[in-house]
Amino acid sequence: MQDKKIEIVTAVIPKLNLAFQQNSLPLITEIELRNSSPQSFRDLELVLTSTPGFLVERTWFIDKLAVDTQVILEDIRIELNAEFLRAIHESLQGEMTFTLRSGAELLAVKINKVELLAKDEWVGTRILPEILAAFVQPNDAAVQAILRDASKMLEASGQLASIEGYQSKSPRRVAIIISALWSAVCKLDLSYTTPPASFEEEGQRVRLPSKIAETRLATCLDTSLLFASCLEQSGLNVLVIFTKGHAFTGCWLNDDDLSSAVIYDAQALRKRCQLNELIVFETTLCTNKPPAKFSLAKQEAEDHLNNDAEFVLAIDIKRARSARIKPLSDIELAGGYQANIVVDEIELPVEIIIDIPEQSFDANNAPEIILDTPEARIENWKRQLLDLTMRNRLLNFTSRTRAIEINCLDIASLEDMLADNHKFKIISIDTLNVDSDPRSEHLHLQQHQENLLTEQLQRHLSKKELIANTDSKKLTTDLLELYRSAKESVQESGVNILYIALGFLDWTNKDAQRIYRAPLILIPIEITRKSVNSGFQLQAHEDEPRFNPTLLEMLKQNFALEIPELEGNLPTDEHGLDVKKILNILCIKIKDIVGWEVEESVVVSTFSFAKYLMWNDLCERVDALKESAVVKHLIESPRDMYAGTGIEFPNPRQLDASRHPRDTFIPLLADSSQIAAVYAAEAGKDFVLIGPPGTGKSQTIANMISQLLATGKTVLFVSEKTAALEVVYRRLHLVGLGEHCLELHSAKAKKSDVIAQLGKAWGVVDISGLNWEKEAERLAQVRSDLNKYVDRLHHRYPNGLTPHQAMGVVIKYSDVQASR
C-alpha cells in the first residue's frame, strides 16, 4: 500500500460542540482524493467513522480514481449526533477516520483530531467566532426578570415604563433603556471571576443568564452575554466586542447593524460612537462594590476601543441571527433560576446620558445630499474614501497605537543604509547606559566636539543597530506585535503595512489649540527572525518608499498648500532618497506658518494606504474606470436597471445542442448550471455567481479561468482574502495550469518573486500528447448517445405514457396477476 501513494486530503474544523449541530454549521470544508500512483482504481468507497460516536457514519461512492488525478467531493455534509454532544460535560478528544477502499483492498486511511467541547463552552474567535451568538439567550427566565426590574426603574425615574426597542426613533431614549438595564443588572449584586488566559482566542465555558443569577458569579464574557441577551430581548441590536484578554458589549442607538457578522476594524466602531450611532460599555463594572455609574462604564469601553493594537474583533448578533445562528437550546444550561431569589437591594437610579441627541441625524431634518449627477456621485465616493479627520494616523500620529520610537540623529544615513539593503537589529535604550559611562561627558565634548550620547548613537548605527526609546521588555512585546500584524496583513490581503517613518510634521489646525504629528517619508520595511530565540531584524521591503500622500492632500484641501515636488518621484541621491532635500522642500513651504515645524524623528509602525489608492484612482482615472460597463452604470445611471452587455445567459438545458466538446476547456467537475456560468464568462457577460459554502464556487472560478485562457483571454482574479486566491490557484496548479498563473498576493507579491514566476513560465514548453480533435469527437458521440437515450426514455407514445413512466407502472404492479 505504501507505493500506491493514494492520499486523502481533508479540511476539518478542529473544535465543535452542540452549538455547531443545532445551527447546521459544517464540520468538514474539503475532501479531496489524490492518486499519484501508476494505477487507476474503480468502484471506490470512502467511509467516515468517528471515535467516540459524535457523528453519523457516512459512505461516499467514487466511480473512478485515474492515474495522476484528483477527485474533489462536492457533497461533504455530515450529520452530528445531537444526543452525544448534549451529554458532554468536559472536553474530550475525538477522531474522525476516513477509510478509502477499492473492493476488499485498503487504499488509504486519514485521521483528523477533533476536540469535542462541552455544550456550554465557546470555541473562541479563531473558529467561526459568530457562533458566540448561540450563547446569547434572549428568552432566558432571568432575562425576563431583569427586563421587569428595568421597566420599574424607568417608571420610578419619571420615564416611560415600556421597553420598546427602536419604536421611538430616538437615540437618547434607547440609551435610557440601556442605562435602565444596567441598573437592573447591578441589582443582582454579581461578583467578578477571572476568565482563563487568552479566552478570546481559545474560548471558555459560558454561564447563561439564569446560571449567572443563580451563582452570582460572572467573567467579562459572561456579563457581556448577559447584557447582550437583555438588549436583544428589548428589541435592540447588540454587539459583543473583544480586545486581547477582555470582552464588553455595544448596542446600536438606531436600527442598524454592521456590514457582516464579524468585523475586525476598530475604527469603524469608533466612527459610529462619535456619530452617536453606537454606544459601548464596560460590563464588568456592574460587579463593582458599589456598582459604577453607566456613564463611567461607557467611558471605560470607549477607552478600550481606542487601542487598535489590542482590538480583536466585534460580533454583530443581528447579523449572526440573519446567518441563521439561533440561541442554544438546552434545558440543563438554564440552571435553577427562580424569580423570587432574595438579593441585596442596591439603589442605582437610571442615569440619563445627556450627550446623546434626542433625535438621530436623519430625523433632525438634515439637508440631504442630492447625488443626481455623475460628478456628485464621484465626489461623494471620494469623501467616503479619503479620511482627512484626526482619526487618521497619517495625519495625527499618537503613541497610543503599537509603535517603536527610534533614537536616531542621522536619518539620512539610516535611509541610505536601508536603501543598500542592510539589516538592522533593534535594541533598547537600556543598553546605552549613558549615566554609568565612566567617561566625562563634558571632557568628551571638549576633546571630540560631540556629546557622549551622539557618539554612542553613531557607533551603534555604524554597527547596524537601532536604539529604541523603550525598555527591553516593552520593546520585545512591541516587536512581536508588529511582526504578527504585518505577517497577518500579508497573509490575509497580500499588502505590507509595516513602515519606518523618517521625519514628522508638527502642525496645528486653524484654531491652533492642539499640535498634531504627521509622518513624512514612509519606507516600507519587514521584520524577520530566524527562530523564536534569535531576535528580530529590520530591513527594507521591496515596495517603493513614498511621501505621506494623505498629508499632501490634506495640505492642499484644508490649507491651499500645494507641494508638487513631493507628489511624483521623490528627489534621490546615489543611495536612495535624498532625505535632506525632501525635508528642506517641506521646511521652505511651511516656514511662514506659525506653530508648524519639521522634526527629524524616526518611528516604526503600521500604516495603511488602501483607501487612498482607491481615492487616487477616482481622481486620476475616472475615464479609464468608465470603460467598465458596471462602473459606468454606477456613475451615470445607478437608479436605472443595469442593461449589461446585451448578452443572454446560456440556457443550461441547451448547452449540449449549442456547444461542441472541442470548444470546452473545463478540467474540473461541473454541472450544467456551472458550465453555463463558464460560457457566460467566456462571452463577456456581467453576472453574479451566488452560492453557500461548499457548492463549488471556487471550482467554477477555476473552470472559468481555464476556459478563458484556452480562448486567448487574460484574467484578473481578485479577492479580499488571500485564502480564496490560494484555493483557486491550487486547483489550477493541480490541473497543470499553475505556470499560466502569476501570483500577485501574499508572499508572492515581491518583485523578485514576480520576476522569478515570469522566468519560470517563459521556459515552459506546452506539448500535449492528446489528440484533442479525436477525443472531442469521441466525447461528442458519447454525449449524443446519452442524450438520445434520455430523449427516448421520456418520449410520450400514443397511449399517453413514456418508457420511464411505463417501467414505473410495471414495477409498481409487479405482484399483480396479469389479466388474460
Side-chain angles (χ1 to χ4, degrees), residues 439-666:
R439 294 175 291 178
S440 167
E441 185 172 351
H442 179 69
L443 183 60
H444 186 86
L445 181 63
Q446 285 183 333
Q447 292 179 347
H448 302 283
Q449 302 301 310
E450 65 179 2
N451 64 41
L452 196 55
L453 177 61
T454 301
E455 185 268 335
Q456 291 203 28
L457 290 176
Q458 291 289 3
R459 179 160 48 86
H460 281 283
L461 181 61
S462 64
K463 293 167 59 179
K464 302 181 184 61
E465 293 177 343
L466 300 179
I467 308 300
N469 286 331
T470 184
D471 58 77
S472 300
K473 183 177 180 181
K474 187 175 186 304
L475 175 62
T476 302
T477 302
D478 290 347
L479 281 171
L480 184 60
E481 186 65 31
L482 289 173
Y483 171 77
R484 288 174 174 171
S485 298
K487 185 177 180 181
E488 181 180 358
S489 176
V490 171
Q491 290 175 344
E492 287 290 326
S493 59
V495 177
N496 178 59
I497 60 172
L498 189 60
Y499 291 83
I500 186 167
L502 305 182
F504 280 79
L505 174 65
D506 295 340
W507 65 282
T508 62
N509 265 325
K510 296 177 181 179
D511 55 12
Q513 292 183 353
R514 179 182 171 185
I515 297 177
Y516 302 98
R517 297 179 74 221
L520 300 178
I521 302 171
L522 296 163
I523 300 177
I525 60 172
E526 56 184 345
I527 296 176
T528 60
R529 62 176 178 179
K530 295 181 179 178
S531 64
V532 175
N533 299 321
S534 63
F536 293 96
Q537 286 189 317
L538 180 150
Q539 67 183 101
H541 191 271
E542 289 192 348
D543 289 348
E544 295 294 330
R546 65 182 72 193
F547 193 89
N548 185 345
T550 307
L551 174 63
L552 291 175
E553 190 61 32
M554 187 274 292
L555 295 177
K556 185 186 299 183
Q557 292 192 19
N558 295 358
F559 298 94
L561 178 60
E562 296 193 29
I563 313 178
E565 301 92 332
L566 302 180
E567 290 182 357
N569 295 326
L570 297 175
T572 58
D573 54 24
E574 61 272 15
H575 292 282
L577 298 180
D578 191 338
V579 174
K580 292 183 178 180
K581 185 175 182 179
I582 293 171
L583 298 184
N584 191 50
I585 291 172
L586 182 61
C587 289
I588 293 172
K589 294 288 185 179
I590 67 167
K591 65 179 181 180
D592 295 326
I593 304 178
V594 178
W596 288 33
E597 183 181 8
V598 172
E599 59 169 290
E600 296 191 6
S601 301
V602 179
V603 171
V604 176
S605 190
T606 55
F607 301 94
S608 177
F609 300 93
K611 290 187 178 181
Y612 173 82
L613 296 175
M614 289 188 284
W615 173 87
N616 195 51
D617 272 349
L618 286 177
C619 291
E620 300 181 358
R621 302 184 62 252
V622 172
D623 291 338
L625 293 174
K626 285 184 180 180
E627 293 178 6
S628 164
V630 176
V631 177
K632 184 177 181 180
H633 168 75
L634 294 174
I635 293 176
E636 297 182 352
S637 55
R639 292 184 176 87
D640 300 334
M641 182 177 293
Y642 178 59
T645 54
I647 301 172
E648 292 293 330
F649 200 90
N651 186 340
R653 293 181 175 274
Q654 299 176 356
L655 295 179
D656 289 354
S658 60
R659 301 293 295 246
H660 194 279
R662 75 168 66 92
D663 303 322
T664 303
F665 306 90
I666 299 177

Side-chain angles (χ1 to χ4, degrees), residues 192-378:
Y192 179 74
T193 180
T194 305
S198 303
F199 81 91
E200 76 281 3
E201 293 184 352
E202 303 299 332
Q204 71 167 70
R205 302 196 80 149
V206 174
R207 296 177 180 87
L208 299 187
S210 287
K211 184 66 73 173
I212 294 174
E214 177 187 351
T215 63
R216 299 294 192 267
L217 295 175
T219 64
C220 59
L221 180 58
D222 295 334
T223 55
S224 299
L225 294 175
L226 173 62
F227 278 103
S229 301
C230 295
L231 292 168
E232 186 179 16
Q233 183 60 30
S234 302
L236 302 176
N237 304 337
V238 62
L239 305 176
V240 179
I241 304 166
F242 289 91
T243 58
K244 291 183 179 177
H246 192 57
F248 54 97
T249 304
C251 184
W252 293 98
L253 296 176
N254 300 302
D255 191 4
D256 204 349
D257 54 47
L258 293 173
S259 57
S260 61
V262 182
I263 187 170
Y264 299 88
D265 182 13
Q267 187 185 73
L269 301 184
R270 289 198 298 270
K271 290 179 180 178
R272 296 302 189 101
C273 289
Q274 290 173 339
L275 294 172
N276 288 316
E277 296 177 358
L278 176 70
I279 190 170
V280 294
F281 54 98
E282 173 52 67
T283 58
T284 59
L285 293 187
C286 73
T287 65
N288 282 15
K289 312 297 186 206
K293 291 184 177 180
F294 182 67
S295 57
L296 177 59
K298 176 175 175 288
Q299 184 59 52
E300 285 287 317
E302 289 173 352
D303 291 342
H304 287 315
L305 209 55
N306 286 331
N307 192 338
D308 283 317
E310 294 294 315
F311 183 80
V312 178
L313 56 82
I315 300 171
D316 191 308
I317 303 303
K318 180 182 177 183
R319 279 281 183 173
R321 297 287 187 241
S322 300
R324 299 182 180 179
I325 298 179
K326 57 184 183 294
L328 190 62
S329 174
D330 190 85
I331 298 175
E332 289 185 16
L333 294 181
Y337 175 73
Q338 297 176 0
N340 59 355
I341 291 179
V342 178
V343 299
D344 296 334
E345 285 296 327
I346 300 173
E347 291 299 328
L348 188 66
V350 177
E351 184 178 3
I352 308 300
I353 308 299
I354 60 175
D355 59 348
I356 293 179
E358 184 66 36
Q359 297 295 329
S360 65
F361 179 79
D362 291 333
N364 202 24
N365 296 321
E368 182 183 359
I369 299 176
I370 306 299
L371 304 176
D372 56 354
T373 65
E375 292 75 16
R377 295 186 192 99
I378 294 173

